[in-house]
Amino acid sequence: MADVLDVRGVRKSFRTGFIPRTRDVLRGISFTVSQGEIFGYLGPNGAGKTSTIKCVLGLMFPDGGTIMLRGLSPLDPRAKAGLGFLPENPYFYDHLTASEFLDFYAQLFGLPKAERAERTARLLRLVGVEKAAGLALRKFSRGMLQRVGLAQALVNDPSFVILDEPLGGLDPIGRKEFRDIILGLKEAGKTVLFTSHILQDIEMICDRVAILVEGRVHSQGRLADLVSEKILFTELTVSGVATAELAGLGQNVSVQGGRTLLKVADEAGVEAILALVRERRGRVHSLIPRVQTLEDIFVEAVRRS
Amino acid sequence: MTILVIARNTFKEAVRDRVLYLLLFFAASAIVLSRVLAILTVGDRAKVVKDVGLASISFFGALMAILIGTGLVYKEIEKRTIFTLLAKPLRRHEFLLGKYLGLLLTLGVMTAAMSLVFLILVFAHTLTLELRLLLPVGFLYLELCLITAVAILFSSFSTPILSSLFALSFYLIGHFSWSLETLIKKTPPGAGRTLLRVVYTVLPDLENFNLKTEVVHGLPIPASLYLYAPAYGLVYTAFVLLLAVLIFRRRDFI
Amino acid sequence: MRTKTAIILSLALVLLAASGLKLKLDALPRATVPGSSAVYLPTGKFLRAATFGYPSFLADILFVWAIQYYGNPSIPDKFERFEHIFSVIAELDPRWIDPYEVAAVIALEDARDVPLALKMFDLGAAKNPDKWIFPYQAGHYAQRYLRDYALAKSYYQKAMSLPGAPAITKRLFANAAFQTMDLKTAWETWSEIYATSEDPQIRKIASNHLYRIKATADLAVLHQALGAYRERYGRWPADLDRLAAAGYLSAVPKDMDGRDYTYDSGAGKVEPAVPFWKR
């Protein structure tokens, strides 16, 4: 089965400014998104995430490389029929109400009236704005607009959903709700691609990721493969032991109100401190092994380029 | 059919634009004030009322087409509502044509409104319902169709201010085509004259849609005008829209 | 890229079609009403109101329009509104000289109506009583085109006394007076010119004219005497002294230089010894 999305060697540069200077935005991007997975596309601001998405959607035309949506070109309307898209900081027609807006978009898919009404109501309920269905969009808050945006991305019951920074501007409850919806989409057999620079969200729900730094894909693959299980160091918070004695066993990070926070590089060091604390009849307040997280990889990737 | 969906939505949006009603108010005022102008002049008062009324409809109609049209596509790009729209199975030219048709419908409603005021005023003056005056209004609407296409063309790649200037220039050039003709007659034959001839033929002549003088003064209109003028309007509009489609289809939305 | 070429081809085709239709439309005869713009000329009492505070600017526009209007040969009855149009311009900017002069030229050349031209000068003079140019030109028009020396004389008289009037005005006045046989005024004026002028050329001219006036007066007297003599005696006298002897003349006048007048006894005509300009 063809990959849902196949990006190969995509390049794009702009000429900006009064005295034209070329700015390379995408320098040869390649990645694939397979059926039924949640794919995280991450990178720092300005890396080219949104530009990639625009090329995939046919809003921008790459200078080189190919993009295939289930074997079709992005400009083919058939490719768009099974596609849903939520842009970053969405903005919609002020004067329409939420229901009118969804109905308008539904019309573009040629859905008959009854089905449009049913779908509109269902989607508004799904994203949690059914109470504001008759309110003009200009009165919506940012978070509500984001929800309506998600609703319009799903109006055609797409098999592939692309979301650009979908969790930006949402409060913690909103973010949980969105994450649940995205997981629900996966359960329904859909494929999701979303970009973000908030790593916790990616870690929580993505199957595979690609890290984009300055127009190049730094690394991509299954989350589990990228992030090793290795313990980097252990953070201990103890009390009742003189700081001087602990000094040699680990890096003394800070002392606060009688407690000492230590960073210990290896297992042996941890054992030694525990023994010491037991000896002095002190207390271990916390012991947290720090494994390599996505953030570490990310920071490393950015720092290296 | 997606074109009609876009058109309907564009109409609903354009009809809410306050600028439209401001211009409608000014147009109505100008038409009514023509009565004052008639008192001021030496000439035939009814003719002045009709002449000024038709001129107002032409001028304000063009202004509406330009001011609304130049913002139409630009606003979508600026506010980025176009992103979600083009992500749907909608070809770019369908979007453009939908916008165009929506605006045409809006202008049709506005022109009808202005014509109503105009006919009422003429009735108040001459006590006859001069439906013949709807003929120049019809041709004025044809001209508006062309001007709207030009406004949409510029709106698809330029800011509203620049687009308005360009569209306005188009309107002025179109009405002063005869001065270029005079210039050609005075130029000695040669390469310069041929070049001017080519430029003259390509530039629009909006006076072909101007039936004001004939109808107001009761003069004859050549029969073939009824065939050729609308054909000219249609063909030139097609030219402008094709150009807009050509420019719009490969445009990057940054 | 196929669609792109298709679109470009269609563009060229459509443009060609449009151009063809345009040429076709150009060939159609469109009725026009030349001069219909005159309908919009405001009338007197609403004039100031119509200017919206820019009367001289409106005067400029009206003047330019009027020139175009009167330069258009196909407008019928265009002189119907002539006076009205230019009186409107005069009302808006009375001190502007050009419109009056141009109007006079138009009246003269196009309308071939000299009294109308004079009316324009009168209008200018009425609005600008201190400007010599109006009665001066009016005098010229009267003299040249109407050959109405009486009228010319009154105009020159008016112009003469206005500040800045050229010296020739007085001479023109004197000449006009002479042409209307007002010999007294002519003599007085030429004498004045002779006395006050510093230019020897002018004095010569004045002197010549004075000579002529005297000659005219003398010749009139002589011819009248000759006529009376002939009536009495049935023939012309042999010479002029006979006239004096017979009592028809108190004395035989000589010309201003002291020469005798030449007498042709066969025809009974007296003439100056030399034409007055050849003295």
Side-chain angles (χ1 to χ4, degrees):
Chain A
M1 185 171 58
D3 285 322
V4 174
L5 174 63
D6 186 3
V7 177
R8 278 191 223 175
V10 167
R11 291 188 316 276
K12 182 69 185 169
S13 48
F14 296 124
R15 275 203 304 275
T16 54
F18 191 63
I19 311 153
R21 279 216 313 256
T22 327
R23 191 166 74 93
D24 295 324
V25 179
L26 302 175
R27 300 170 206 232
I29 308 248
S30 300
F31 65 92
T32 54
V33 178
S34 313
Q35 165 67 36
E37 69 179 4
I38 301 181
F39 190 94
Y41 195 53
L42 58 143
N45 290 328
K49 303 193 295 294
T50 307
S51 302
T52 314
I53 303 286
K54 285 185 183 167
C55 286
V56 168
L57 291 167
L59 290 170
M60 265 173 29
F61 299 92
D63 298 331
T66 57
I67 298 175
M68 290 281 177
L69 286 158
R70 285 193 214 279
L72 297 170
S73 153
L75 301 176
D76 194 332
R78 289 174 297 171
K80 303 262 184 70
L83 200 63
F85 171 54
L86 169 62
E88 187 179 1
N89 292 328
Y91 186 92
F92 304 115
Y93 300 108
D94 267 354
H95 59 284
L96 295 175
T97 67
S99 311
E100 286 173 347
F101 173 63
L102 280 183
D103 188 65
F104 168 49
Y105 274 10
Q107 283 178 44
L108 290 175
F109 290 100
L111 298 174
K113 189 159 181 170
E115 200 176 330
R116 293 203 304 264
E118 182 268 320
R119 225 176 252 208
T120 304
R122 180 165 48 85
L123 285 170
L124 288 177
R125 222 183 358 259
L126 173 69
V127 298
V129 292
E130 73 270 20
K131 291 214 182 61
L135 201 61
L137 285 173
R138 79 171 71 103
K139 300 216 169 87
F140 275 41
S141 69
R142 168 113 188 261
M144 288 162 80
L145 276 179
Q146 198 91 359
R147 290 161 190 264
V148 172
L150 184 57
Q152 70 71 36
L154 301 173
V155 76
N156 55 325
D157 198 24
S159 58
F160 182 30
V161 184
I162 301 180
L163 311 167
D164 196 357
E165 304 276 358
L167 303 171
L170 292 173
D171 61 25
I173 298 182
R175 286 167 57 178
K176 177 166 186 339
E177 285 174 0
F178 260 58
R179 284 198 301 266
D180 289 341
I181 294 173
I182 295 174
L183 286 169
L185 291 176
K186 175 180 173 182
E187 253 168 77
K190 302 188 194 298
T191 314
V192 179
L193 161 69
F194 76 95
T195 71
S196 186
H197 55 264
I198 303 172
L199 303 172
Q200 291 88 327
D201 299 323
I202 303 258
E203 276 180 312
M204 273 191 252
I205 55 179
C206 286
D207 299 318
R208 286 172 67 241
V209 299
I211 301 178
L212 186 71
V213 184
E214 284 191 6
R216 266 184 267 265
V217 174
H218 178 269
S219 41
Q220 63 169 302
R222 298 196 66 78
L223 204 54
D225 296 339
L226 285 181
V227 175
S228 64
E229 294 279 303
K230 195 173 76 128
I231 295 178
L232 295 173
F233 56 83
T234 314
E235 272 174 12
L236 285 155
T237 312
V238 302
S239 65
V241 183
T243 318
E245 286 183 274
L246 295 166
L249 297 167
Q251 284 161 283
N252 189 329
V253 179
S254 71
V255 182
Q256 215 179 8
R259 301 187 191 191
T260 313
L261 174 65
L262 286 152
K263 202 160 113 172
V264 187
D266 55 284
E267 290 260 356
V270 172
E271 295 295 328
I273 293 177
L274 289 176
L276 192 58
V277 168
R278 225 176 293 125
E279 219 183 287
R280 297 276 186 274
R281 297 205 192 287
R283 272 187 68 193
V284 176
H285 295 276
S286 70
L287 192 157
I288 304 170
R290 270 274 273 116
V291 293
Q292 184 189 45
T293 61
L294 190 56
E295 185 175 349
D296 299 319
I297 302 177
F298 186 80
V299 169
E300 178 69 34
V302 174
R303 197 157 42 83
R304 216 172 314 139
S305 55
Chain B
M1 282 314 105
T2 37
I3 295 182
L4 291 180
V5 174
I6 303 280
R8 211 182 347 230
N9 190 56
T10 308
F11 174 71
K12 284 209 288 210
E13 186 184 353
V15 149
R16 274 170 221 241
D17 197 329
R18 273 178 284 230
V19 172
L20 220 51
Y21 293 99
L22 194 66
L23 287 175
L24 188 63
F25 170 72
F26 278 124
S29 310
I31 293 173
V32 169
L33 282 173
S34 69
R35 187 159 160 70
V36 176
L37 191 64
I39 298 175
L40 287 184
T41 72
V42 247
D44 183 342
R45 290 187 182 174
K47 291 209 177 103
V48 169
V49 165
K50 289 181 201 170
D51 217 4
V52 172
L54 285 172
S56 304
I57 295 180
S58 168
F59 177 67
F60 285 104
L63 221 55
M64 281 179 198
I66 292 174
L67 288 180
I68 308 292
T70 51
L72 218 54
V73 178
Y74 181 80
K75 216 164 57 157
E76 291 248 18
I77 299 174
E78 186 71 3
K79 301 236 162 106
R80 301 183 298 169
T81 49
I82 204 174
F83 289 175
T84 43
L85 208 50
L86 289 183
K88 307 278 181 275
L90 170 77
R91 291 188 196 272
R92 288 203 184 186
H93 71 263
E94 288 172 331
F95 168 75
L96 217 54
L97 289 177
K99 286 263 161 221
Y100 175 67
L101 283 180
L103 188 54
L104 274 193
L105 190 58
T106 316
L107 287 174
V109 172
M110 290 293 130
T111 308
M114 288 192 286
S115 312
L116 194 65
V117 176
F118 176 55
L119 282 177
I120 290 176
L121 185 73
V122 170
F123 181 79
H125 217 92
T126 61
L127 293 176
T128 49
L129 192 64
E130 302 207 24
L131 288 174
R132 184 141 207 261
L133 290 173
L134 288 178
L135 183 63
V137 172
F139 272 74
L140 279 176
Y141 185 69
L142 277 177
E143 187 184 333
L144 281 184
C145 291
L146 179 51
I147 297 174
T148 309
V150 172
I152 298 256
L153 165 65
F154 289 122
S155 175
S156 65
F157 64 84
S158 183
T159 60
I161 295 181
L162 270 182
S163 307
S164 300
L165 283 175
F166 289 140
L168 203 60
S169 310
F170 178 85
Y171 180 69
L172 289 174
I173 289 173
H175 279 284
F176 285 100
S177 187
W178 53 266
S179 60
L180 186 56
E181 200 177 358
T182 318
L183 179 64
I184 290 175
K185 285 201 193 110
K186 297 199 192 233
T187 317
R193 192 185 197 180
T194 329
L195 180 67
L196 280 177
R197 272 237 175 86
V198 171
V199 170
Y200 169 75
T201 323
V202 166
L203 285 180
D205 186 357
L206 297 179
E207 284 293 318
N208 287 322
F209 304 109
N210 185 359
L211 293 183
K212 294 204 287 285
T213 316
E214 277 102 336
V215 174
V216 167
H217 289 91
L219 299 167
I221 301 173
S224 32
L225 189 79
Y226 292 111
L227 173 66
Y228 288 119
Y232 181 62
L234 198 75
V235 172
Y236 210 97
T237 307
F239 170 67
V240 174
L241 287 175
L242 267 176
L243 198 58
V245 166
L246 185 65
I247 294 175
F248 196 62
R249 59 193 296 274
R250 279 282 146 172
R251 194 210 148 118
D252 284 335
F253 292 104
I254 304 175
Chain C
M1 282 306 117
R2 274 201 342 268
T3 8
K4 188 173 185 184
T5 14
I7 295 180
I8 294 181
L9 269 171
S10 325
L11 264 174
L13 236 121
V14 170
L15 193 60
L16 227 63
S19 308
L21 281 167
K22 181 176 188 179
L23 290 174
K24 194 83 200 180
L25 280 163
D26 279 346
L28 291 178
R30 297 291 300 277
T32 51
V33 182
S36 55
S37 46
V39 159
Y40 290 94
L41 200 60
T43 53
K45 40 182 173 98
F46 296 103
L47 195 53
R48 282 271 145 178
T51 63
F52 297 109
Y54 291 93
S56 54
F57 177 58
L58 193 63
D60 292 339
I61 296 177
L62 269 176
F63 183 49
V64 170
W65 168 82
I67 292 175
Q68 300 299 315
Y69 184 77
Y70 284 104
N72 186 344
S74 59
I75 299 178
D77 302 327
K78 62 183 170 183
F79 289 100
E80 252 172 46
R81 298 214 177 94
F82 184 82
E83 269 187 75
H84 174 65
I85 292 170
F86 281 99
S87 62
V88 165
I89 297 175
E91 176 97 24
L92 290 172
D93 198 351
R95 310 289 288 174
W96 188 18
I97 308 293
D98 299 328
Y100 302 110
E101 297 192 320
V102 170
V105 171
I106 293 174
L108 177 72
E109 302 283 341
D110 279 346
R112 306 207 179 281
D113 186 346
V114 184
L116 185 60
L118 291 178
K119 256 194 192 162
M120 289 295 111
F121 285 129
D122 290 340
L123 184 62
K127 300 274 183 191
N128 298 275
D130 57 327
K131 294 262 186 282
W132 57 266
I133 189 79
F134 294 117
Y136 184 80
Q137 289 199 302
H140 271 99
Y141 272 52
Q143 173 174 318
R144 183 157 169 211
Y145 301 110
L146 289 179
R147 304 217 181 283
D148 184 343
Y149 284 100
L151 193 57
K153 176 177 157 210
S154 64
Y155 275 128
Y156 286 133
Q157 188 167 25
K158 250 181 259 170
M160 231 165 62
S161 51
L162 291 174
I168 197 173
T169 316
K170 208 166 189 177
R171 303 202 287 279
L172 287 163
F173 168 69
N175 189 50
F178 176 74
Q179 298 288 351
T180 56
M181 284 298 126
D182 182 358
L183 296 181
K184 180 168 182 295
T185 315
W187 179 266
E188 280 167 4
T189 316
W190 278 120
S191 305
E192 218 181 295
I193 293 170
Y194 184 82
T196 54
S197 178
E198 282 164 17
D199 184 352
Q201 193 95 353
I202 305 289
R203 290 166 68 114
K204 178 81 175 154
I205 291 174
S207 150
N208 283 351
H209 275 275
L210 286 169
Y211 178 92
R212 184 188 188 196
I213 292 170
K214 181 171 193 304
T216 309
D218 289 344
L219 287 176
V221 166
L222 281 166
H223 280 125
Q224 194 198 30
L226 282 167
Y229 184 94
R230 182 182 162 93
E231 218 186 290
R232 176 82 198 279
Y233 296 103
R235 57 181 166 82
W236 301 116
D239 56 61
L240 294 175
D241 296 319
R242 301 285 169 93
L243 273 180
Y248 290 100
L249 286 174
S250 50
V252 178
K254 291 194 195 285
D255 72 13
M256 212 168 80
D257 301 327
R259 281 189 292 246
D260 291 320
Y261 291 104
T262 8
Y263 174 57
D264 177 8
S265 55
K269 289 260 174 238
V270 193
E271 295 207 342
V274 50
F276 76 96
W277 65 85
K278 275 197 188 159
R279 277 171 72 227

